[in-house]
Short mmCIF file of all heavy atoms in Angstrom, two decimals:
data_model
loop_
_atom_site.label_atom_id
_atom_site.label_comp_id
_atom_site.label_asym_id
_atom_site.label_seq_id
_atom_site.Cartn_x
_atom_site.Cartn_y
_atom_site.Cartn_z
N CYS A 252 -73.21 -15.42 14.11
CA CYS A 252 -72.18 -14.43 13.76
C CYS A 252 -72.78 -13.04 13.91
O CYS A 252 -73.68 -12.66 13.16
CB CYS A 252 -71.69 -14.65 12.33
SG CYS A 252 -70.39 -13.49 11.84
N ALA A 253 -72.24 -12.28 14.86
CA ALA A 253 -72.76 -10.95 15.14
C ALA A 253 -72.19 -9.88 14.21
O ALA A 253 -72.65 -8.74 14.23
CB ALA A 253 -72.44 -10.58 16.60
N ILE A 254 -71.18 -10.25 13.40
CA ILE A 254 -70.52 -9.24 12.57
C ILE A 254 -70.75 -9.45 11.08
O ILE A 254 -70.16 -8.76 10.25
CB ILE A 254 -69.01 -9.21 12.87
CG1 ILE A 254 -68.37 -10.58 12.63
CG2 ILE A 254 -68.76 -8.75 14.29
CD1 ILE A 254 -66.86 -10.58 12.80
N GLY A 255 -71.59 -10.42 10.72
CA GLY A 255 -71.86 -10.66 9.31
C GLY A 255 -72.53 -12.00 9.10
O GLY A 255 -73.06 -12.62 10.04
N GLU A 256 -72.48 -12.47 7.87
CA GLU A 256 -73.08 -13.75 7.53
C GLU A 256 -72.12 -14.90 7.82
O GLU A 256 -70.91 -14.77 7.59
CB GLU A 256 -73.46 -13.78 6.04
CG GLU A 256 -74.56 -12.80 5.66
CD GLU A 256 -75.87 -13.12 6.36
OE1 GLU A 256 -76.21 -14.33 6.46
OE2 GLU A 256 -76.55 -12.18 6.81
N PRO A 257 -72.62 -16.03 8.32
CA PRO A 257 -71.74 -17.19 8.54
C PRO A 257 -71.09 -17.66 7.24
O PRO A 257 -71.70 -17.60 6.17
CB PRO A 257 -72.69 -18.25 9.10
CG PRO A 257 -73.84 -17.48 9.66
CD PRO A 257 -73.99 -16.28 8.77
N GLY A 258 -69.84 -18.12 7.36
CA GLY A 258 -69.11 -18.57 6.17
C GLY A 258 -69.33 -20.01 5.82
O GLY A 258 -68.93 -20.46 4.74
N ASN A 259 -69.96 -20.79 6.73
CA ASN A 259 -70.25 -22.21 6.48
C ASN A 259 -69.01 -23.03 6.15
O ASN A 259 -69.09 -24.00 5.40
CB ASN A 259 -71.30 -22.35 5.38
CG ASN A 259 -72.63 -21.74 5.79
OD1 ASN A 259 -73.13 -22.02 6.88
ND2 ASN A 259 -73.19 -20.88 4.93
N MET A 260 -67.89 -22.64 6.72
CA MET A 260 -66.67 -23.43 6.57
C MET A 260 -66.76 -24.66 7.47
O MET A 260 -67.33 -24.61 8.56
CB MET A 260 -65.46 -22.57 6.95
CG MET A 260 -64.10 -23.26 6.78
SD MET A 260 -62.71 -22.19 7.32
CE MET A 260 -62.51 -21.12 5.90
N VAL A 261 -66.19 -25.76 7.01
CA VAL A 261 -66.10 -26.98 7.82
C VAL A 261 -64.81 -26.91 8.63
O VAL A 261 -63.72 -26.87 8.07
CB VAL A 261 -66.11 -28.24 6.93
CG1 VAL A 261 -65.94 -29.49 7.80
CG2 VAL A 261 -67.39 -28.31 6.11
N LEU A 262 -64.95 -26.87 9.96
CA LEU A 262 -63.79 -26.75 10.83
C LEU A 262 -63.48 -28.08 11.52
O LEU A 262 -64.38 -28.73 12.03
CB LEU A 262 -64.04 -25.68 11.90
CG LEU A 262 -64.35 -24.26 11.41
CD1 LEU A 262 -64.52 -23.32 12.59
CD2 LEU A 262 -63.26 -23.75 10.47
N THR A 263 -62.20 -28.43 11.53
CA THR A 263 -61.74 -29.65 12.21
C THR A 263 -60.79 -29.26 13.32
O THR A 263 -59.82 -28.54 13.09
CB THR A 263 -61.03 -30.60 11.23
OG1 THR A 263 -61.94 -30.97 10.19
CG2 THR A 263 -60.54 -31.84 11.96
N GLN A 264 -61.08 -29.72 14.52
CA GLN A 264 -60.20 -29.44 15.65
C GLN A 264 -59.07 -30.47 15.71
O GLN A 264 -59.29 -31.66 15.41
CB GLN A 264 -60.99 -29.48 16.96
CG GLN A 264 -62.01 -28.38 17.09
CD GLN A 264 -62.70 -28.41 18.45
OE1 GLN A 264 -62.46 -29.31 19.25
NE2 GLN A 264 -63.54 -27.43 18.70
N PRO A 265 -57.87 -30.04 16.08
CA PRO A 265 -56.76 -30.99 16.20
C PRO A 265 -56.98 -31.95 17.37
O PRO A 265 -57.57 -31.59 18.39
CB PRO A 265 -55.55 -30.09 16.46
CG PRO A 265 -56.12 -28.85 17.06
CD PRO A 265 -57.46 -28.66 16.41
N SER A 266 -56.51 -33.17 17.20
CA SER A 266 -56.59 -34.17 18.26
C SER A 266 -55.43 -33.98 19.24
O SER A 266 -54.52 -33.18 19.01
CB SER A 266 -56.52 -35.57 17.66
OG SER A 266 -55.24 -35.78 17.09
N GLU A 267 -55.46 -34.74 20.32
CA GLU A 267 -54.36 -34.69 21.28
C GLU A 267 -53.04 -35.08 20.63
O GLU A 267 -51.99 -34.51 20.93
CB GLU A 267 -54.66 -35.59 22.47
CG GLU A 267 -55.75 -35.06 23.39
CD GLU A 267 -55.41 -33.73 24.03
OE1 GLU A 267 -54.22 -33.56 24.39
OE2 GLU A 267 -56.30 -32.87 24.15
N SER A 268 -53.08 -36.06 19.74
CA SER A 268 -51.84 -36.47 19.06
C SER A 268 -51.35 -35.38 18.11
O SER A 268 -50.13 -35.20 17.95
CB SER A 268 -52.06 -37.79 18.30
OG SER A 268 -53.04 -37.64 17.29
N ASP A 269 -52.28 -34.65 17.49
CA ASP A 269 -51.89 -33.52 16.65
C ASP A 269 -51.17 -32.45 17.48
O ASP A 269 -50.15 -31.90 17.05
CB ASP A 269 -53.12 -32.88 15.99
CG ASP A 269 -53.76 -33.76 14.94
OD1 ASP A 269 -53.03 -34.49 14.25
OD2 ASP A 269 -55.00 -33.68 14.79
N LEU A 270 -51.71 -32.16 18.65
CA LEU A 270 -51.12 -31.16 19.51
C LEU A 270 -49.73 -31.58 19.99
O LEU A 270 -48.80 -30.77 20.06
CB LEU A 270 -52.03 -30.88 20.71
CG LEU A 270 -53.43 -30.34 20.38
CD1 LEU A 270 -54.22 -30.12 21.66
CD2 LEU A 270 -53.35 -29.06 19.57
N ARG A 271 -49.58 -32.85 20.30
CA ARG A 271 -48.26 -33.36 20.72
C ARG A 271 -47.26 -33.25 19.57
O ARG A 271 -46.10 -32.86 19.78
CB ARG A 271 -48.37 -34.81 21.20
CG ARG A 271 -49.03 -34.96 22.57
CD ARG A 271 -48.80 -36.35 23.14
NE ARG A 271 -49.42 -37.39 22.31
CZ ARG A 271 -50.67 -37.82 22.46
NH1 ARG A 271 -51.45 -37.30 23.41
NH2 ARG A 271 -51.15 -38.78 21.69
N MET A 272 -47.71 -33.57 18.36
CA MET A 272 -46.80 -33.47 17.21
C MET A 272 -46.41 -32.02 16.96
O MET A 272 -45.23 -31.73 16.66
CB MET A 272 -47.45 -34.07 15.95
CG MET A 272 -46.55 -34.02 14.72
SD MET A 272 -47.27 -34.85 13.29
CE MET A 272 -47.17 -36.56 13.82
N ARG A 273 -47.38 -31.11 17.06
CA ARG A 273 -47.05 -29.69 16.88
C ARG A 273 -46.00 -29.25 17.90
O ARG A 273 -45.04 -28.56 17.56
CB ARG A 273 -48.31 -28.84 17.05
CG ARG A 273 -48.04 -27.33 16.96
CD ARG A 273 -49.20 -26.52 17.49
NE ARG A 273 -49.51 -26.86 18.87
CZ ARG A 273 -50.64 -26.55 19.48
NH1 ARG A 273 -51.59 -25.91 18.83
NH2 ARG A 273 -50.84 -26.90 20.75
N ASP A 274 -46.16 -29.66 19.16
CA ASP A 274 -45.21 -29.27 20.20
C ASP A 274 -43.83 -29.86 19.93
O ASP A 274 -42.80 -29.21 20.17
CB ASP A 274 -45.72 -29.73 21.57
CG ASP A 274 -46.97 -28.98 22.00
OD1 ASP A 274 -47.29 -27.94 21.39
OD2 ASP A 274 -47.64 -29.45 22.94
N THR A 275 -43.80 -31.08 19.41
CA THR A 275 -42.52 -31.71 19.08
C THR A 275 -41.82 -30.96 17.96
O THR A 275 -40.61 -30.69 18.02
CB THR A 275 -42.74 -33.18 18.68
OG1 THR A 275 -43.28 -33.90 19.79
CG2 THR A 275 -41.43 -33.83 18.24
N VAL A 276 -42.57 -30.60 16.93
CA VAL A 276 -42.01 -29.84 15.81
C VAL A 276 -41.50 -28.48 16.30
O VAL A 276 -40.43 -28.02 15.89
CB VAL A 276 -43.06 -29.66 14.69
CG1 VAL A 276 -42.58 -28.67 13.64
CG2 VAL A 276 -43.38 -31.00 14.04
N ALA A 277 -42.25 -27.85 17.21
CA ALA A 277 -41.84 -26.54 17.73
C ALA A 277 -40.48 -26.63 18.42
O ALA A 277 -39.60 -25.80 18.19
CB ALA A 277 -42.89 -26.02 18.71
N LYS A 278 -40.30 -27.66 19.24
CA LYS A 278 -39.08 -27.76 20.04
C LYS A 278 -37.91 -28.38 19.28
O LYS A 278 -36.75 -28.05 19.56
CB LYS A 278 -39.38 -28.57 21.30
CG LYS A 278 -40.36 -27.88 22.24
CD LYS A 278 -40.80 -28.80 23.38
CE LYS A 278 -41.84 -28.14 24.26
NZ LYS A 278 -42.35 -29.04 25.32
N GLU A 279 -38.21 -29.28 18.32
CA GLU A 279 -37.13 -30.01 17.65
C GLU A 279 -36.79 -29.47 16.26
O GLU A 279 -35.74 -29.81 15.71
CB GLU A 279 -37.51 -31.50 17.56
CG GLU A 279 -37.64 -32.17 18.92
CD GLU A 279 -37.94 -33.66 18.82
OE1 GLU A 279 -38.00 -34.17 17.67
OE2 GLU A 279 -38.12 -34.30 19.88
N VAL A 280 -37.68 -28.65 15.69
CA VAL A 280 -37.43 -28.11 14.36
C VAL A 280 -37.40 -26.58 14.38
O VAL A 280 -36.40 -25.96 14.01
CB VAL A 280 -38.49 -28.60 13.35
CG1 VAL A 280 -38.24 -27.98 11.97
CG2 VAL A 280 -38.49 -30.12 13.26
N ILE A 281 -38.49 -25.98 14.82
CA ILE A 281 -38.65 -24.53 14.70
C ILE A 281 -37.62 -23.77 15.54
O ILE A 281 -36.91 -22.90 15.03
CB ILE A 281 -40.08 -24.13 15.09
CG1 ILE A 281 -41.08 -24.71 14.10
CG2 ILE A 281 -40.22 -22.62 15.17
CD1 ILE A 281 -42.51 -24.69 14.56
N LEU A 282 -37.53 -24.09 16.83
CA LEU A 282 -36.61 -23.37 17.71
C LEU A 282 -35.14 -23.60 17.34
O LEU A 282 -34.38 -22.63 17.24
CB LEU A 282 -36.89 -23.76 19.16
CG LEU A 282 -36.15 -22.97 20.24
CD1 LEU A 282 -36.36 -21.47 20.08
CD2 LEU A 282 -36.59 -23.42 21.64
N PRO A 283 -34.70 -24.83 17.09
CA PRO A 283 -33.29 -25.02 16.70
C PRO A 283 -32.93 -24.32 15.38
O PRO A 283 -31.83 -23.78 15.25
CB PRO A 283 -33.16 -26.55 16.56
CG PRO A 283 -34.23 -27.09 17.46
CD PRO A 283 -35.37 -26.14 17.32
N ARG A 284 -33.84 -24.33 14.40
CA ARG A 284 -33.54 -23.67 13.13
C ARG A 284 -33.38 -22.17 13.31
O ARG A 284 -32.48 -21.55 12.73
CB ARG A 284 -34.63 -23.96 12.10
CG ARG A 284 -34.59 -25.37 11.55
CD ARG A 284 -35.59 -25.52 10.41
NE ARG A 284 -35.56 -26.87 9.85
CZ ARG A 284 -36.30 -27.24 8.80
NH1 ARG A 284 -37.12 -26.38 8.22
NH2 ARG A 284 -36.22 -28.47 8.34
N TRP A 285 -34.27 -21.57 14.11
CA TRP A 285 -34.14 -20.13 14.36
C TRP A 285 -32.84 -19.84 15.10
O TRP A 285 -32.17 -18.85 14.82
CB TRP A 285 -35.33 -19.61 15.14
CG TRP A 285 -35.19 -18.16 15.47
CD1 TRP A 285 -35.36 -17.09 14.63
CD2 TRP A 285 -34.80 -17.60 16.73
NE1 TRP A 285 -35.11 -15.91 15.28
CE2 TRP A 285 -34.77 -16.20 16.58
CE3 TRP A 285 -34.51 -18.16 17.98
CZ2 TRP A 285 -34.44 -15.33 17.63
CZ3 TRP A 285 -34.18 -17.31 19.02
CH2 TRP A 285 -34.14 -15.90 18.84
N THR A 286 -32.48 -20.70 16.04
CA THR A 286 -31.25 -20.54 16.79
C THR A 286 -30.05 -20.49 15.84
O THR A 286 -29.14 -19.66 15.99
CB THR A 286 -31.09 -21.69 17.79
OG1 THR A 286 -32.17 -21.65 18.72
CG2 THR A 286 -29.78 -21.60 18.54
N GLU A 287 -30.04 -21.37 14.86
CA GLU A 287 -28.94 -21.39 13.89
C GLU A 287 -28.91 -20.12 13.06
O GLU A 287 -27.83 -19.59 12.75
CB GLU A 287 -29.08 -22.62 12.99
CG GLU A 287 -28.83 -23.94 13.72
CD GLU A 287 -29.05 -25.15 12.83
OE1 GLU A 287 -29.41 -24.95 11.65
OE2 GLU A 287 -28.87 -26.27 13.31
N ARG A 288 -30.08 -19.60 12.70
CA ARG A 288 -30.13 -18.37 11.89
C ARG A 288 -29.69 -17.15 12.69
O ARG A 288 -29.03 -16.26 12.17
CB ARG A 288 -31.56 -18.13 11.37
CG ARG A 288 -32.06 -19.13 10.38
CD ARG A 288 -33.27 -18.60 9.63
NE ARG A 288 -34.45 -18.36 10.46
CZ ARG A 288 -35.37 -19.27 10.75
NH1 ARG A 288 -35.22 -20.51 10.29
NH2 ARG A 288 -36.43 -18.96 11.47
N CYS A 289 -30.08 -17.13 13.96
CA CYS A 289 -29.88 -15.92 14.76
C CYS A 289 -28.49 -15.84 15.39
O CYS A 289 -27.97 -14.75 15.61
CB CYS A 289 -30.95 -15.86 15.85
SG CYS A 289 -31.43 -14.19 16.30
N GLY A 290 -27.88 -16.98 15.68
CA GLY A 290 -26.53 -16.97 16.20
C GLY A 290 -26.45 -17.02 17.72
O GLY A 290 -27.46 -16.87 18.42
N PRO A 291 -25.25 -17.22 18.27
CA PRO A 291 -25.07 -17.45 19.71
C PRO A 291 -25.51 -16.29 20.60
O PRO A 291 -26.16 -16.49 21.62
CB PRO A 291 -23.55 -17.70 19.84
CG PRO A 291 -23.12 -18.12 18.48
CD PRO A 291 -24.00 -17.40 17.52
N GLU A 292 -25.14 -15.06 20.25
CA GLU A 292 -25.49 -13.91 21.09
C GLU A 292 -27.00 -13.70 21.14
O GLU A 292 -27.58 -13.48 22.21
CB GLU A 292 -24.80 -12.65 20.56
CG GLU A 292 -25.03 -11.44 21.44
CD GLU A 292 -24.29 -10.21 20.94
OE1 GLU A 292 -23.38 -10.36 20.08
OE2 GLU A 292 -24.60 -9.10 21.41
N CYS A 293 -27.61 -13.78 19.96
CA CYS A 293 -29.06 -13.64 19.86
C CYS A 293 -29.76 -14.75 20.65
O CYS A 293 -30.74 -14.50 21.36
CB CYS A 293 -29.45 -13.71 18.38
SG CYS A 293 -31.21 -13.73 18.05
N THR A 294 -29.27 -15.96 20.54
CA THR A 294 -29.85 -17.10 21.25
C THR A 294 -29.73 -16.94 22.75
O THR A 294 -30.68 -17.21 23.51
CB THR A 294 -29.17 -18.40 20.80
OG1 THR A 294 -29.37 -18.58 19.40
CG2 THR A 294 -29.74 -19.59 21.55
N ALA A 295 -28.57 -16.50 23.21
CA ALA A 295 -28.36 -16.30 24.65
C ALA A 295 -29.34 -15.26 25.20
O ALA A 295 -29.90 -15.42 26.28
CB ALA A 295 -26.92 -15.88 24.92
N ASN A 296 -29.55 -14.21 24.42
CA ASN A 296 -30.51 -13.18 24.83
C ASN A 296 -31.93 -13.75 24.89
O ASN A 296 -32.69 -13.47 25.82
CB ASN A 296 -30.46 -12.00 23.85
CG ASN A 296 -31.50 -10.96 24.18
OD1 ASN A 296 -31.40 -10.23 25.16
ND2 ASN A 296 -32.55 -10.90 23.35
#
C-alpha cells in the first residue's frame, strides 16, 4: 500500500455463478423496478 498502512481485510472474489446471478438481478429486478418508478417517457429516453 503506497498510501498508508494495509488494512488486513479478508477479501473474497465473486465466482462465475455469483457474477451470473448479479447480472440476472440487474436485468430482472433492478432495471424493471426503476422503469416502473420513472415512467414511460423516462424509460423511452
Side-chain angles (χ1 to χ4, degrees):
C252 181
I254 58 175
E256 294 297 319
N259 296 311
M260 183 182 280
V261 177
L262 301 182
T263 300
Q264 294 184 356
S266 66
E267 289 298 321
S268 62
D269 290 327
L270 299 179
R271 286 194 297 271
M272 181 175 290
R273 177 195 58 197
D274 293 346
T275 297
V276 170
K278 294 172 184 176
E279 297 183 2
V280 178
I281 295 165
L282 188 54
R284 286 187 179 183
W285 177 76
T286 298
E287 291 176 359
R288 293 197 296 272
C289 211
E292 184 177 346
C293 174
T294 299
N296 176 72

